[in-house]
Amino acid sequence: MSRLHQSRIADFQEVLGEPTVALTKLRELCFSGIPFDGGLRCLCWKILLNYLPLEKALWSSLLKKQRDLYSQFLKEMIIQPGIAKANLGVSREDVTLEDHPLNPNPDSRWNTYFKDNEVLLQIDKDVRRLYPDMAFFQRPTDYPCLLILDPQNEFETLRRRVEQTTLKSQTVARNRSGVTNVSSRSPLKTTPSSLSEYEVLPNGCEAHWEVVERILFIYAKLNPGIAYVQGMNEIVGPLYYTFATDPNSEWKEHAEADTFFCFTNLMAEIRDNFIKSLDDSQCGITYKMEKVYSTLKEKDVELYLKLQEQNIKPQFFAFRWLTLLLSQEFLLPDVIRIWDSLFADDKRFDFLLLVCCAMLTLIRDQLLEGDFTLNMRLLQDYPISDVHLILKKAKELQDSK
């Protein structure tokens, strides 16, 4: 380990060792990248995302309270609706005599169950595809959710629920061959092939993607106004990966609950990007995309005019860059490094606009020479993989204000 690296670790340990963490100092340190060693990144992110308070004395009681609360969510939202054994005094086939699967009453528990299944199937499709170039999300977690996987109870897992829903929908499509629209309209058509793509883990095990699925499903249930929007899986993925690979096993064991609350806090800050009706408001995504161009205009008017002239609108590429905090543009370790700087930004993601501008100016020569098609390809499949270069350029842009 280099001396510089050791001294950086020591700087972090000093700030985190105080009874009250000095946030400004911590932000400055994190902005230049957080070492993975000793679980420093996991701890810093939890503070930067307002999950842990600055007073260290409050940490253990707060963590206990939040993790208990998350267990409560699991019991209410995952175990209760899908109870499989009648030994709990409720069999799912007979919730109550008045409530049955065809009950048209919008308050019917069945009605909710079916509606939830639609959201669940979309989440399922997205989380199975998380970082396909990495085996991590397909691997079993060391800490499966014992609450749900308890063999005594045979609770229905979300994966089981997806499989049953998928099988039922296929049967409908097959049995009533006259009703072709069932299979053509159904979003389930693509799921069976993806179900068989992965080896099924033995009973009592669950893959990391299943944990991510649960986090997103509970988020959708608790936030019905936004529910689940495609892309949220790309936001939760790096958070969960970071917490689930924490070298400190006491923290790692609670990666699911901690990720849920950090994700919820992060979404509270960026959720407006996901809400269509806000697109054109000042807090919406259109405003932010235009801000990328107005910043570019200040920093590099020649490049700005070239993109304008080719009618390359920011929504063609900046929509994804901004909404997903660049999580689709780089490899996971690089995304995590960028997020160190983004989370450390006290203006909350103003720095992201500068990173986007830096990405444009770093390929300015190619953009100035390229035609529309070539430039679109460059922007949608960004060619530079050195994120340190990008962050350095963004910092220069910030300092030249």
Side-chain angles (χ1 to χ4, degrees):
M1 195 190 296
S2 73
R3 189 166 292 160
L4 176 68
H5 189 67
Q6 276 175 324
S7 84
R8 276 188 59 68
I9 292 176
D11 291 343
F12 274 93
Q13 284 168 338
E14 189 186 332
V15 172
L16 294 167
E18 296 291 326
T20 301
V21 177
L23 187 59
T24 313
K25 258 194 200 152
L26 184 71
R27 283 189 193 282
E28 268 171 39
L29 283 173
C30 295
F31 186 80
S32 314
I34 308 169
F36 173 74
D37 314 68
L40 284 174
R41 175 176 279 127
C42 310
L43 186 53
C44 291
W45 278 17
K46 287 174 180 130
I47 297 170
L48 295 174
L49 292 171
N50 303 320
Y51 178 45
L52 286 178
L54 298 175
E55 290 77 36
K56 278 174 70 176
L58 303 173
W59 287 2
S60 61
S61 61
L62 175 117
L63 288 169
K64 183 175 177 346
K65 190 179 112 224
Q66 296 301 85
R67 289 162 179 175
D68 289 349
L69 176 61
Y70 187 75
S71 293
Q72 201 48 44
F73 292 155
L74 291 177
K75 286 176 190 154
E76 286 171 20
M77 292 173 216
I78 293 182
I79 293 175
Q80 284 302 334
I83 285 173
K85 265 200 179 168
N87 65 358
L88 287 143
V90 186
S91 90
R92 204 181 68 212
E93 278 62 44
D94 175 27
V95 179
T96 67
L97 288 173
E98 294 78 50
D99 199 5
H100 54 85
L102 299 176
N103 184 347
N105 176 355
D107 298 333
S108 149
R109 276 171 57 177
W110 279 100
N111 199 345
T112 313
Y113 187 80
F114 292 134
K115 265 210 164 56
D116 287 349
N117 278 357
E118 288 171 25
V119 175
L120 177 58
L121 288 163
Q122 181 58 58
I123 294 175
D124 188 76
K125 219 161 64 185
D126 293 345
V127 292
R128 285 170 184 271
R129 294 193 294 235
L130 261 179
Y131 292 95
D133 50 340
M134 282 177 66
F136 172 80
F137 287 96
Q138 307 306 326
R139 285 204 190 113
T141 162
D142 297 338
Y143 301 101
C145 181
L146 299 176
L147 198 63
I148 293 170
L149 296 179
D150 178 353
Q152 286 292 296
N153 297 320
E154 287 183 16
F155 291 137
E156 183 183 60
T157 61
L158 291 182
R159 177 175 60 179
R160 186 91 195 93
R161 194 165 152 178
V162 167
E163 283 163 4
Q164 286 171 342
T165 311
T166 309
L167 290 171
K168 275 186 197 134
S169 81
Q170 284 176 291
T171 327
V172 171
R174 262 204 306 274
N175 290 354
R176 301 160 61 179
S177 49
V179 196
T180 46
N181 66 340
V182 175
S183 51
S184 62
R185 258 206 352 240
S186 160
L188 316 169
K189 237 171 63 174
T190 53
T191 320
S193 63
S194 63
L195 284 175
S196 54
E197 266 168 47
Y198 303 116
E199 53 178 319
V200 175
L201 296 172
N203 275 346
C205 292
E206 57 179 353
H208 287 293
W209 67 261
E210 293 185 70
V211 182
V212 175
E213 177 165 78
R214 229 180 357 252
I215 292 168
L216 287 165
F217 183 69
I218 288 182
Y219 179 81
K221 290 280 289 171
L222 288 171
N223 295 275
I226 180 171
Y228 171 75
V229 181
Q230 210 169 2
M232 288 181 184
N233 55 315
E234 308 292 351
I235 300 283
V236 87
L239 284 177
Y240 174 72
Y241 174 80
T242 300
F243 295 165
T245 53
D246 192 322
N248 179 341
S249 59
E250 286 160 55
W251 289 94
K252 188 175 172 177
E253 185 180 344
H254 297 285
E256 179 175 351
D258 293 349
T259 301
F260 171 79
F261 289 108
C262 287
F263 172 68
T264 301
N265 290 357
L266 179 55
M267 281 304 298
E269 300 185 26
I270 61 170
R271 58 180 282 169
D272 294 349
N273 295 346
F274 287 90
I275 301 176
K276 246 190 159 41
S277 58
L278 289 178
D279 278 1
D280 297 320
S281 70
Q282 263 214 320
C283 52
I285 188 72
T286 310
Y287 176 76
K288 292 181 185 123
M289 289 190 295
E290 279 162 5
K291 195 108 168 62
V292 171
Y293 266 21
S294 59
T295 313
L296 180 67
K297 189 177 178 181
E298 273 168 47
K299 308 285 180 192
D300 189 338
V301 72
E302 187 187 358
L303 179 56
Y304 166 78
L305 290 170
K306 173 75 177 186
L307 295 175
Q308 287 288 66
E309 173 201 322
Q310 290 188 345
N311 203 14
I312 294 179
K313 295 184 167 32
Q315 48 268 43
F316 297 161
F317 61 93
F319 180 81
R320 190 175 74 186
W321 291 6
L322 294 167
T323 311
L324 304 182
L325 307 180
L326 296 168
S327 61
Q328 286 275 278
E329 312 314 310
F330 303 99
L331 295 172
L332 186 58
D334 295 327
V335 171
I336 288 169
R337 170 61 195 91
I338 292 172
W339 284 16
D340 287 345
S341 296
L342 293 184
F343 294 166
D345 172 21
D346 61 339
K347 294 215 175 45
R348 275 319 194 213
F349 311 120
D350 274 12
F351 187 66
L352 178 59
L353 298 174
L354 293 168
V355 174
C356 293
C357 269
M359 287 168 69
L360 293 171
T361 54
L362 285 169
I363 53 169
R364 75 184 301 271
D365 295 348
Q366 288 151 281
L367 289 170
L368 290 172
E369 279 170 31
D371 59 8
F372 176 85
T373 316
L374 192 73
N375 286 347
M376 281 299 293
R377 198 175 306 144
L378 280 173
L379 294 168
Q380 288 181 344
D381 186 5
Y382 190 73
I384 296 177
S385 56
D386 180 352
V387 296
H388 297 280
L389 179 69
I390 294 167
L391 290 167
K392 189 167 160 263
K393 182 73 186 163
K395 183 81 183 90
E396 281 168 21
L397 294 174
Q398 189 181 46
D399 295 341
S400 70
K401 275 193 163 172

